[in-house]
Amino acid sequence: MHVSVIIPVYNAALFIERAIKSALVQQETAEVICINDGSTDDSKAICLAMQELDKRVKVLENDKGIKGAGAARNCGLEVANSEFIAFLDADDYYLDGRFEGEAEEFFKNNHIDGIAGKLKFEIDGDIKIPNHNIRRDSIIGPNNKLEIITTANALNGDNFSVIAITIRKSCLEKVGNFDTSLLQAQDSHFVFRLIASCHITASKKDAAYVVYNRHDHNTTNQWESGLVYRRLSIKKLILYAIKKRLNFSIIKQLIIQHIEYDFLILFGLKTPFKKLIKILLLPLFLLRVSF
């Protein structure tokens, strides 16, 4: 099994060497594609130094005129040579055994397009992002008994991170690339479309083999822009779900999520009488789904 690991890189000089090394130690890694996204620190120089040490490292420049992790990942997808694709962020890292057992699973089940594993959070204190509160050493990921992960599973808690999935490159023909208009939430937007379009199964492993590193420069710190992009992502997914003729219950859950983000944008987190306001202004919230 040969895997291309794609890493978007932006001002991650403190972390990028660890990320690259964590991918290189996996015996299944055929190449590590680092896409510099206009870094102003030493990130690119560190990537180039790693390239000199191991020819599996390939350093690219995102010169498409569109910045962001989604656009950078798309650059990597264009040049990836392996049959299988995995993603990693420059400040996160894999643990030994990241791809262990996946080759057998893929080749035993030719209909499987991707395998989703678990993610562990390495943070100081709690992460507060819209509608979520994540504690140190929290683990997210799908139930490992799921043979196929559906959009209903994902919306009801069996979701997973884009950096904890391995996919066949061929499935990109069905799902497409990352949405470059989303400077945040482009990963969850991609994952939803992936689940809706492809056969994604849950990893049989109980433990997490991908670590999310929380630090002062994470985009999750950007609360206000995060709300805007998450709402935009959900709006796009509502239109996508309608076009794909997904079950109405899925569309309904997406609309409820959109209302949640819309409420936070309009009124803030600490507004009292939240439920009452939502009921009274429901026509307005529903109207705002369409614009």
Side-chain angles (χ1 to χ4, degrees):
M1 178 183 181
H2 294 150
V3 181
S4 295
V5 178
I6 296 174
I7 307 178
V9 182
Y10 176 72
N11 286 354
L14 294 176
F15 313 105
I16 185 59
E17 182 175 345
R18 178 182 62 182
I20 294 172
K21 285 182 176 179
S22 78
L24 291 174
V25 297
Q26 316 297 329
Q27 63 178 3
E28 297 85 358
T29 299
E31 58 183 0
V32 178
I33 305 171
C34 301
I35 307 93
N36 183 47
D37 195 28
S39 297
T40 56
D41 64 2
D42 293 330
S43 295
K44 184 177 180 180
I46 294 170
C47 291
L48 291 171
M50 296 295 291
Q51 182 177 247
E52 288 297 314
L53 295 173
D54 193 318
K55 296 306 178 185
R56 288 179 295 167
V57 179
K58 300 179 180 179
V59 184
L60 306 178
E61 194 76 34
N62 178 12
D63 56 1
K64 301 292 185 180
I66 301 174
K67 299 300 180 182
R73 291 190 187 109
N74 289 344
C75 291
L77 289 171
E78 288 181 9
V79 302
N81 291 313
S82 302
E83 181 183 359
F84 297 94
I85 303 291
F87 301 99
L88 182 61
D89 289 340
D91 44 6
D92 303 327
Y93 60 97
Y94 294 153
L95 298 177
D96 291 352
R98 162 68 175 85
F99 303 111
E100 186 176 330
E102 292 189 353
E104 181 181 357
E105 191 72 21
F106 273 117
F107 296 126
K108 186 170 63 177
N109 302 288
N110 290 330
H111 61 287
I112 290 176
D113 293 309
I115 299 175
K118 293 179 171 58
L119 174 81
K120 179 179 179 180
F121 288 86
E122 182 179 272
I123 59 177
D124 293 323
D126 297 348
I127 295 180
K128 293 183 178 181
I129 59 178
N131 293 329
H132 295 284
N133 191 20
I134 300 169
R135 298 183 181 279
R136 180 177 177 82
D137 295 330
S138 294
I139 293 177
I140 65 166
N143 186 321
N144 58 10
K145 294 181 180 180
L146 287 175
E147 293 299 327
I148 181 169
I149 302 171
T150 66
T151 51
N153 293 142
L155 290 174
N156 290 304
D158 281 302
N159 57 328
F160 55 89
S161 169
V162 73
I163 62 174
I165 187 170
T166 310
I167 60 174
R168 296 184 191 272
K169 188 179 181 184
S170 58
C171 78
L172 292 169
E173 296 175 4
K174 291 182 272 187
V175 70
N177 287 348
F178 289 84
D179 188 328
T180 58
S181 70
L182 298 171
L183 297 183
Q184 291 191 48
Q186 82 289 137
D187 47 358
S188 57
H189 183 268
F190 177 85
V191 164
F192 185 94
R193 292 185 290 117
L194 187 69
I195 295 170
S197 304
C198 303
H199 187 138
I200 308 299
T201 190
S203 171
K204 301 301 184 286
K205 295 181 284 192
D206 291 321
Y209 287 84
V210 182
V211 178
Y212 174 93
N213 173 37
R214 165 72 168 185
H215 55 86
D216 291 340
H217 302 293
N218 286 119
T219 55
T220 51
N221 291 327
Q222 301 168 15
W223 175 268
E224 292 182 358
S225 61
L227 286 173
V228 171
Y229 282 115
R230 281 178 168 80
R231 184 184 66 165
L232 178 58
S233 172
I234 295 298
K235 181 175 291 190
K236 286 172 174 281
L237 289 180
I238 292 170
L239 296 175
Y240 175 83
I242 293 171
K243 182 178 179 181
K244 293 278 289 187
R245 297 184 179 179
L246 298 184
N247 190 290
F248 178 73
S249 63
I250 301 300
I251 299 172
K252 179 182 176 181
Q253 283 182 274
L254 290 170
I255 291 173
I256 290 172
Q257 285 191 24
H258 188 279
I259 290 174
E260 287 291 326
Y261 289 129
D262 211 20
F263 179 91
L264 290 173
I265 289 172
L266 292 174
F267 296 100
L269 185 63
K270 298 181 179 180
T271 302
F273 309 113
K274 182 177 179 179
K275 289 184 180 180
L276 178 60
I277 292 173
K278 284 182 183 178
I279 292 171
L280 293 175
L281 297 182
L282 183 59
L284 172 64
F285 285 123
L286 291 175
L287 181 63
R288 284 170 63 85
V289 172
S290 63
F291 69 88

